[in-house]
Amino acid sequence: MKIFYGWWVLLGLFLIYSANNGIIIYTLPLFYPELIDEFGWNAEEVTRPAALLLIVAALIVPFAGVLFDRYSTRLIMILGILALVAGLGFYPSITSLGQLTAIYMMFALGLALCGLVPNMLILTRWFRRYRGRAAGLLLMGSTIGGAVFPLFARETLVTQGWRQAVLMIAIVGSVMMIGAALFLVRNRPAEMGLEVDGFASDNESDTIPETGSSGPTLKQAVKKPVFYILALVTASLWFTTFAMLQHQSIFIAKDLEVDSARLTLIFSLFFWFAIIGKLTLSWLSDKFNKLSIMMTAVLSLILGLLLLRTVSADNTLALYGYAAIFGIGFGGTFSMIQLVLAEYFSGASYGKILALITMVDSLAGSAGVNYLGQVRVAQGSYLPAFDLLIVVCAVSAILVMVLIMFYNNRQK
């Protein structure tokens, strides 16, 4: 039986998403301690470009959406990939913070043009009946990239330094993205004489259930208290998780004096457990109340942060526990945010609602990165910032509990 070409398209999207998010967002923070050692930058300075990336990408995406509707999405993705490739190519040659910031602005443009939004857009053109499982596989890509690329970089980082390590993963990632875009990804089934999900005729494809058109409009959604509660919950979780993604390497390497070889292992372990969190909690969410599963993810974040507070230079074994527990919470949180938002707001206006909440989340993530950096510079320690993150997650847990009570009352 011939394999539906849409699965090859999904493979291409998976490779692109694994490389762009797996390298830019998840792996490059691994090199922050090296940049601090070489250039004398502090924690706030070295993470500032990543914070700016979130802001700039959030502002670019709405304009990129117009291009996706008007021109070839695949072509625009290729332009975005070229921007990422150029940025990664220049990265090993940086000599100043201004250069690093300029590279991250290229990353912001590239991620806006070839990141999650265009990937999901092409995916939805190819899949309808199997859209859920296809989207789940795609979203797994970024976490797998975060788990694999640090291992690729480990030996080179230890033996040849950070510049060669960045160059190596840049080459691997560039080949993955360019090859996938050129040889696997196609805009829509009609370009190849195919139908959505591989059905052979319009009559058969018409039997596939469409995404529901009911549900609140954006105007209706913003009038509901649940919209603001969920926006606050998701923003709080982005504030916490993105801040930790950008700063954990500095804390582990500089404050705990963990060497580069062990740091890469801890990084990789973190993302492998994030994969477990995504798979396990997503599976459980099909069987139990999604809000209850989200609570599990939030509690994992709190437990992981509490464990991190106990780590000392003499007892770094707890770091592996942190990587596992916080990793599960991170992966589960990422998935549950998407599933819970869809539970409440799916419908004809879901894209607009999701875009608005995602913009708020991105700004919150940027604020979290800045906050941790400023605390580390001002107080010489991350611990006070970790304490606030624990409080922020605890507030999120309380708000989720409020939603659970609301959900249960609604069901009665």
Side-chain angles (χ1 to χ4, degrees), residues 81-223:
I81 289 170
L82 293 177
L84 294 183
V85 170
L88 288 170
F90 285 122
Y91 198 110
S93 302
I94 61 170
T95 58
S96 69
L97 188 58
Q99 291 176 348
L100 182 64
T101 302
I103 287 172
Y104 266 83
M105 295 307 94
M106 295 177 68
F107 290 159
L109 174 63
L111 289 176
L113 298 182
C114 71
L116 183 59
V117 173
N119 275 273
M120 286 298 298
L121 179 58
I122 290 181
L123 181 147
T124 56
R125 292 171 180 167
W126 281 88
F127 296 96
R128 190 181 302 154
R129 173 176 291 176
Y130 304 118
R131 188 175 294 167
R133 68 189 69 177
L137 291 170
L138 173 63
L139 292 175
M140 194 67 62
S142 62
T143 314
I144 290 178
V148 171
F149 279 104
L151 295 180
F152 282 164
R154 182 171 183 256
E155 184 66 24
T156 306
L157 176 62
V158 173
T159 60
Q160 300 181 47
W162 70 270
R163 294 182 188 274
Q164 289 299 316
V166 171
L167 180 60
M168 185 199 63
I169 63 173
I171 293 172
V172 173
S174 298
V175 171
M176 285 174 59
M177 292 187 289
I178 294 173
L182 291 178
F183 300 112
L184 294 175
V185 176
R186 296 294 181 268
N187 281 308
R188 47 178 53 85
E191 292 181 358
M192 305 183 68
L194 299 173
E195 300 289 335
V196 176
D197 285 319
F199 286 85
S201 69
D202 290 337
N203 290 334
E204 290 184 20
S205 66
D206 287 342
T207 66
I208 307 170
E210 290 278 5
T211 303
S213 59
S214 61
T217 64
L218 177 59
K219 185 176 180 179
Q220 292 170 335
V222 298
K223 292 180 179 180

Side-chain angles (χ1 to χ4, degrees), residues 14-24 141 145 149 173-174 176-177:
F14 177 90
L15 292 173
I16 293 171
Y17 193 49
S18 296
N20 62 34
N21 268 246
I23 294 175
I24 308 301
F149 279 104
S174 298
M176 285 174 59
M177 292 187 289

Side-chain angles (χ1 to χ4, degrees), residues 25 32 47-56 58 231-247 330 337 357-373 389 392:
I25 304 297
Y32 289 163
T47 57
R48 187 189 303 159
L52 290 174
L53 179 151
L54 279 178
I55 297 174
V56 174
L232 184 56
V233 169
T234 60
S236 299
L237 296 176
W238 269 66
F239 181 92
T240 300
T241 55
F242 202 85
M244 290 304 300
L245 284 175
Q246 295 300 309
H247 284 275
F330 166 71
I337 285 176
I357 292 180
T358 299
M359 181 176 292
V360 173
D361 291 346
S362 297
L363 296 175
S366 176
V369 175
N370 279 327
Y371 171 72
L372 259 67
L389 294 185
V392 168

